[in-house]
Amino acid sequence: MHFTRARDLVTAGLVTAALVYLLVRVLYGQMPSLPTFAGVTLLVLAVVEAVLAFSLRSRIHNPRGDRPVQALTAARAVALAKASSLLGAIMFGAWLGVLGYVLPRRAEVTAAADDLPSTVVGVICSALLIAAALWLEWCCRTPRDQDNQPPERHSGSTG
């Protein structure tokens, strides 16, 4: 299993944003107003995953090994993180698609102005879910995994 690649998340988010934008453009007049805190569920998931990440990180990187992490536990956490980062990317794209529609129309359409806070909350919460999921996935790496990473590429001159 490989770790989540940014291009996979960006692709999922961009495809979803385009599809949702087109759907909202066609169906906005028939949609009910968006609840202001519709995206908060994603924030709850992000908080849970961040807490889990800190807990697992301290146990995996503990030099004394008081409470070692079982391999199955780490694998489940990585699976959760991968699924959550993909969900976050899809929801980020969906909220961006709605935001792309309502933001330019907020001055002319009252419903668009009313839906703007919902979309901002959704974008922020989905971005936090992506960050927490990637952090959880990173925290599940063993020190050996981190040592085997290829050297980072630096832009600019070498020397």
Side-chain angles (χ1 to χ4, degrees):
M1 174 171 37
H2 60 82
F3 289 94
T4 303
R5 294 181 293 231
R7 72 172 181 237
D8 297 338
L9 299 179
V10 170
T11 301
L14 288 176
V15 168
T16 305
L19 291 174
V20 168
Y21 177 80
L22 293 173
L23 282 172
V24 168
R25 189 171 173 184
V26 171
L27 302 173
Y28 190 71
Q30 301 167 0
M31 290 175 48
S33 64
L34 298 171
T36 303
F37 298 108
V40 173
T41 305
L42 301 172
L43 178 62
V44 172
L45 290 171
V47 169
V48 168
E49 291 192 27
V51 169
L52 180 60
F54 282 109
S55 171
L56 287 176
R57 182 173 184 252
S58 67
R59 290 173 56 197
I60 290 172
H61 298 277
N62 183 358
R64 293 178 291 158
D66 294 338
R67 292 179 37 213
V69 176
Q70 294 180 1
L72 188 56
T73 301
R76 286 178 178 163
V78 169
L80 172 66
K82 289 177 79 59
S84 295
S85 64
L86 184 58
L87 169 67
I90 290 169
M91 292 307 299
F92 186 79
W95 285 114
L96 276 182
V98 176
L99 182 64
Y101 182 82
V102 299
L103 188 61
R105 291 164 182 79
R106 71 186 184 281
E108 306 114 31
V109 180
T110 306
D114 292 343
D115 287 340
L116 185 61
S118 304
T119 59
V120 171
V121 168
V123 167
I124 291 169
C125 291
S126 54
L128 290 173
L129 177 59
I130 295 168
L134 292 176
W135 175 246
L136 174 58
E137 188 174 341
W138 177 258
C139 289
C140 290
R141 293 182 180 201
T142 63
R144 187 175 29 140
D145 290 338
Q146 294 169 4
D147 291 341
N148 291 334
Q149 291 297 310
E152 292 184 26
R153 296 182 201 163
H154 298 285
S155 59
S157 64
T158 59

